[in-house]
Structure formats: C-alpha cells, structure tokens
Amino acid sequence: SQELEQSPQSLIVQEGKNLTINCTSSKTLYGLYWYKQKYGEGLIFLMMLQKGGEEKSHEKITAKLDEKKQQSSLHITASQPSHAGIYLCGADILSGTYKYIFGTGTRLKVLA
Amino acid sequence: GAVVSQHPSRVICKSGTSVKIECRSLDFQATTMFWYRQFPKQSLMLMATSNEGSKATYEQGVEKDKFLINHASLTLSTLTVTSAHPEDSSFYICSARRQNEKLFFGSGTQLSVL
C-alpha cells in the first residue's frame, strides 16, 4: 500500500475553474513538498510546508498542511492550461530509517 | 542553489546490455542519495536509498542484483541496470541531500531497452 495517498488520481477541469488536490499520510510528515512534473521530465518544486497549520501561496497556487501534519492540500485558483501536468507530493517519513517518498500522483488536465 | 547533475538524460540500448546512470552533486557533499523510477502515468517509486560508504538500502520488490547502486564518494552515486530488458524501460531520477537539508533532484534519465 502507498504510504502517501493522493486524491483524486486524475482531474479534468475547464479553464478558469478552481481545484483541490489532497495528499494524505497515516504517519506524521517531516516536511511536505509539492511538485509539478511531466512524465519523462524533471520535477518543478512548488512549495514546502513544515509546520502544522502552515499555509503558503505562490501566484494562483495555495498549499496547506494540517495541524497534525498528516494531510496537505494544494489548491489552484482560476486554472489555466499551463497548470496541466502531474502533481506530486513528497515527504520524509520514518520507516525504519528516514526515506523520501512521493505520493501516488494526480494528473491534471485543463480544458481551454 | 545546489545542483544535482544526472547523466545521461536519455539512453537507448539493446536487450541484455548494462546501462550506468550517474548522479552528481555539483556544489555540496551528499550524505544520502535516493533513486526512483517512474512508469508512464504513474508516480515516482523509491527504489533505494544510498548512503556514502555503505551498502544501499533497497525497497521491497527491487532486485539488488538487477539494479546495482554505488555511492563511492560524497558527490557521486551510480545506478547500473544490469542485463537490461524491455520491461526495465522507464524514467529514472536521483536526488541528493546534504545532512538534514532539503533534497535536490537530478533531471532524470529516460531508459529505452529495445
């Protein structure tokens, strides 16, 4: 089973619509990161959240980390075709040793 | 900012050959490096954690003899796909970390095995 679950798995929205992607862990996260990617290409770092209750925004993207540091959401306001891609959350987890893993991913398509 | 260089970016090889992928931290010493693979329409799956000077820790289901990882220095880790087969075709990406700091990622290697 995946230790970092993302929902939804895929998302198709009309340009201009708002959307939210969630990332959930059963364990406390030691730092939660959001990335954007296209398959076969590198990762684009979006935001990093470390403190419970923290919220950050950049342009039309807002990310939050809940108080328990086990769930994060990524919200895009007034989506554009340029927002299309794969969104991944990533985090350090303690599973025997510390390791850095990614969520299951959310594929976003924005229709013009 | 810290830069991680991954080479090659793309490789095509015949079935049965071995392929080596390098991951270098250019301006810092990386105590830990991670290797991931990604299939189309899927997320990045952790393959192994590599600590300098010690054996890599492989994730469940990853064949140690198939995917050889060497972390011989604080700036270089290599992943060798031995006797590659078409099912090994995938996108491989590395990341490097300084002690207790954030991760920096390579740009990835697209492997195609014919």
Side-chain angles (χ1 to χ4, degrees), chain A residues 19-22 34 46-49 53-65 72-77 83 87:
Chain A
L19 63 104
T20 300
I21 299 168
N22 295 300
W34 282 100
L46 297 175
M47 262 171 280
M48 176 183 72
L49 305 164
E54 187 174 9
E55 179 176 324
K56 288 186 177 179
S57 293
H58 178 67
E59 296 182 344
K60 295 185 177 181
I61 301 176
T62 300
K64 301 178 185 179
L65 182 62
S72 178
S73 61
L74 185 81
H75 184 78
I76 299 177
T77 304
H83 286 126
Y87 286 82

Side-chain angles (χ1 to χ4, degrees), chain B residues 83-100:
Chain B
S83 187
H85 291 283
E87 58 265 29
D88 298 322
S89 298
S90 185
F91 184 66
Y92 295 86
I93 193 166
C94 69
S95 66
R97 157 178 277 161
R98 277 185 292 220
Q99 189 73 31
N100 298 326

Side-chain angles (χ1 to χ4, degrees), chain A residues 28-33 49-50 69 91-94 98, chain B residues 97:
Chain A
T28 299
L29 303 170
Y30 299 90
L32 190 287
Y33 299 72
L49 305 164
Q50 288 188 304
K69 299 204 299 182
D92 280 300
I93 65 164
L94 181 58
Y98 281 104
Chain B
R97 157 178 277 161

Side-chain angles (χ1 to χ4, degrees), chain B residues 4-95:
Chain B
V4 173
S5 173
Q6 188 172 338
H7 179 80
S9 59
R10 182 177 294 272
V11 58
I12 302 172
C13 68
K14 292 182 179 179
S15 184
T17 60
S18 294
V19 175
K20 181 183 283 188
I21 303 170
E22 292 188 348
C23 183
R24 291 180 184 273
S25 55
L26 298 184
D27 58 357
F28 68 99
Q29 293 183 326
T31 53
T32 304
M33 288 187 174
F34 299 96
W35 287 95
Y36 304 86
R37 67 186 297 182
Q38 183 183 36
F39 293 108
K41 299 184 180 181
Q42 293 187 20
S43 184
L44 292 160
M45 298 300 295
L46 179 64
M47 298 175 67
T49 302
S50 170
N51 293 299
E52 187 269 337
S54 62
K55 291 183 179 180
T57 302
Y58 289 81
E59 293 299 299
Q60 193 173 9
V62 178
E63 298 175 58
K64 301 178 183 181
D65 296 331
K66 175 76 172 177
F67 299 99
L68 300 178
I69 291 173
N70 184 287
H71 193 160
S73 75
L74 284 171
T75 59
L76 174 65
S77 177
T78 60
L79 167 67
T80 301
V81 183
T82 61
S83 187
H85 291 283
E87 58 265 29
D88 298 322
S89 298
S90 185
F91 184 66
Y92 295 86
I93 193 166
C94 69
S95 66

Side-chain angles (χ1 to χ4, degrees), chain A residues 1-111:
Chain A
S1 62
Q2 286 285 348
E3 292 166 295
L4 273 183
E5 290 280 349
Q6 279 183 242
S7 63
Q9 188 175 14
S10 65
L11 195 54
I12 301 174
V13 300
Q14 200 70 39
E15 183 177 3
K17 295 294 185 183
N18 303 334
L19 63 104
T20 300
I21 299 168
N22 295 300
C23 175
T24 303
S25 171
S26 58
K27 301 177 180 178
T28 299
L29 303 170
Y30 299 90
L32 190 287
Y33 299 72
W34 282 100
Y35 305 88
K36 181 185 173 186
Q37 190 217 14
K38 291 183 179 179
Y39 173 73
E41 299 181 13
L43 297 167
I44 299 170
F45 169 76
L46 297 175
M47 262 171 280
M48 176 183 72
L49 305 164
Q50 288 188 304
K51 299 177 182 177
E54 187 174 9
E55 179 176 324
K56 288 186 177 179
S57 293
H58 178 67
E59 296 182 344
K60 295 185 177 181
I61 301 176
T62 300
K64 301 178 185 179
L65 182 62
D66 75 341
E67 290 290 340
K68 290 185 178 180
K69 299 204 299 182
Q70 288 185 283
Q71 185 170 27
S72 178
S73 61
L74 185 81
H75 184 78
I76 299 177
T77 304
S79 59
Q80 299 170 349
S82 61
H83 286 126
I86 302 170
Y87 286 82
L88 298 164
C89 60
D92 280 300
I93 65 164
L94 181 58
S95 180
T97 59
Y98 281 104
K99 57 184 180 180
Y100 192 91
I101 63 171
F102 288 92
T104 46
T106 298
R107 298 176 67 229
L108 172 64
K109 188 172 183 178
V110 181
L111 302 175

